[in-house]
Amino acid sequence: MSGLRIPRLLSGGLITNYACPSRCRHCLYNCGPSRSRDYIDPDTAERLLSTIRAAGCPAVHLGGGEPLLDPEGLGRVLRRMPRAGIGLEYVETNGSWFRDEETSAAMLRDLREQGLHTLLVSVSPFHNERIPFERINGAIQAARRAGMGVIPWVDGFFRDLAAFDPKRSHSLEEYMERFGRDYPLAILRRYWIHFGGRALETFRPLLPGRSPERILSETGNCSRDLLDTSHFHVDLYGNYIPGLCSGLAVDAADLGGPLPPEKYPLLTLLFKRGVAGLKELAQAEWGYAPQRESYLGACDLCTEIRSFLARSGYADSEELLPREFYDPENVEPPTAVMSPST
């Protein structure tokens, strides 16, 4: 065996779907309108939630994508949670579904009766690029009217969004014109963002990078990242996503035991040798060469290598899932971000 074994699950969530009306520039999972409309079915949800509970986690959040794209589907998941013996912390939403307070509150009251007691509502310039502030704020008011708790994430952005017309969406470039060209970098001081998924494309032009040679010389194995269960996710297809390594997958059924290297050769390589080992494999077997002169770090380089593998000889890999994560159509941000001032 490889020695790779996912430890006790501490805190995390279940991804109900990857489809989303928004296409946020910082999205770790490359969610958006072009993703499959698949939604987790209740039997799968109960099985995965039972697996998560058996692995040590007593409660989870439900996220996406946008879980409220299918309120009935969400309700079916909520009703299965007690049977799985697991609690609900909150449901994540961007408020895109809001139309009017009365109708939306009625929908939320129905979900409250099925077990939903708290909404985490996304509040940020990234969400405002596709979702008018009127809907975001309306979702918050509808939830309160329905008797739910609300977590605005992040409430520090309310003032920024309120500076624009609430009835329409606003590009990040509009925020830069109003608040300064360094606004995207200022967001990093107010909002924790992991440099993975679409955030790589957004922030790579704005931050200093390192050469692949330097990254590989300064980086060891990926054991700490792969074994981190402080913010894990399991998706609707039964993929446990190790750490914050979006696009990597462990069959949730294998949680609780050693992961065999013959089934998980890429994860085993990353666990033992890190990105350097992955690069050597991709280069030796498939002719990979770094596509850029600089990267934000090891995760940036790793994502490029895995994308290369997913589109070449490892296209059928059960570790590089879901396939749509690697689709270029889902990777690119909405538009190019203007360079900050120097």
Side-chain angles (χ1 to χ4, degrees):
M1 294 296 180
S2 67
L4 173 56
R5 178 178 183 145
I6 305 300
R8 179 178 182 272
L9 301 185
L10 299 177
S11 178
L14 180 67
I15 296 174
T16 61
N17 61 332
Y18 285 108
C20 183
S22 189
R23 188 183 174 87
C24 293
R25 297 178 194 252
H26 68 317
C27 184
L28 179 58
Y29 298 108
N30 291 343
C31 300
S34 58
R35 294 296 293 265
S36 165
R37 303 290 290 186
D38 292 348
Y39 201 93
I40 194 167
D41 68 82
D43 291 338
T44 299
E46 184 177 343
R47 173 174 56 83
L48 294 175
L49 290 167
S50 297
T51 298
I52 292 170
R53 184 66 188 94
C57 187
V60 295
H61 63 267
L62 301 178
E66 173 49 59
L68 280 159
L69 279 180
D70 184 354
E72 293 182 359
L74 177 59
R76 289 190 287 269
V77 174
L78 293 170
R79 293 195 298 272
R80 293 297 185 96
M81 296 189 76
R83 290 171 51 171
I86 197 165
L88 174 66
E89 294 173 331
Y90 53 84
V91 168
E92 296 177 342
T93 183
N94 56 35
S96 55
W97 43 269
F98 178 84
R99 292 300 179 270
D100 64 80
E101 189 170 319
E102 183 175 352
T103 303
S104 299
M107 178 193 71
L108 293 177
R109 276 194 293 269
D110 181 60
L111 289 171
R112 188 190 63 186
E113 292 175 0
Q114 299 177 73
L116 174 55
H117 53 76
T118 304
L119 275 186
L120 184 148
V121 181
S122 298
V123 181
S124 83
F126 295 119
H127 295 87
N128 192 214
E129 286 204 279
R130 290 288 183 101
I131 305 165
F133 183 42
E134 182 178 65
R135 291 190 183 179
I136 298 170
N137 195 45
I140 292 172
Q141 299 309 316
R144 288 173 174 161
R145 181 172 172 178
M148 287 185 182
V150 178
I151 305 171
W153 190 258
V154 176
D155 58 4
F157 284 115
F158 272 121
R159 181 176 296 181
D160 296 27
L161 271 64
F164 297 93
D165 180 355
K167 296 184 179 300
R168 67 178 187 87
S169 57
H170 300 274
S171 70
L172 189 59
E173 285 74 18
E174 290 180 77
Y175 280 85
M176 295 167 73
E177 290 171 3
R178 181 174 292 256
F179 296 114
R181 295 175 65 85
D182 291 326
Y183 186 76
L185 298 182
I187 290 177
L188 296 176
R189 296 190 291 269
R190 305 167 62 185
Y191 193 23
W192 182 83
I193 295 172
H194 178 69
F195 292 141
R198 207 173 287 131
L200 293 170
E201 307 303 319
T202 297
F203 288 99
R204 190 185 298 114
L206 307 178
L207 293 167
R210 292 179 289 163
S211 69
E213 294 78 16
R214 181 179 173 187
I215 289 171
L216 295 175
S217 70
E218 296 175 348
T219 306
N221 65 47
C222 300
S223 59
R224 172 179 286 185
D225 293 328
L226 295 175
L227 300 182
D228 183 8
T229 64
S230 63
H231 193 75
F232 72 86
H233 285 91
V234 176
D235 76 7
L236 65 155
Y237 304 116
N239 301 315
Y240 170 83
I241 302 161
L244 294 172
C245 302
S246 49
L248 275 175
V250 171
D251 186 342
D254 290 332
L255 294 175
L259 303 184
E262 61 273 15
K263 184 175 181 178
Y264 298 102
L266 301 182
L267 282 163
T268 299
L269 195 57
L270 288 167
F271 179 71
K272 291 183 174 181
R273 300 190 53 214
V275 182
L278 191 66
K279 175 184 176 294
E280 290 177 14
L281 171 72
Q283 182 175 330
E285 294 196 13
W286 305 103
Y288 166 79
Q291 303 299 298
R292 302 182 179 90
E293 294 183 357
S294 68
Y295 297 80
L296 290 179
C299 293
D300 191 4
L301 181 58
C302 180
T303 300
E304 179 182 277
I305 297 171
R306 289 189 280 113
S307 297
F308 173 85
L309 291 173
R311 298 165 193 165
S312 57
Y314 275 80
D316 296 327
S317 170
E318 294 303 306
E319 299 173 271
L320 301 176
L321 296 174
R323 304 270 188 263
E324 286 184 318
F325 173 83
Y326 296 102
D327 186 337
E329 183 180 6
N330 297 316
V331 173
E332 292 299 321
T335 56
V337 179
M338 295 185 291
S339 298
S341 59
T342 57

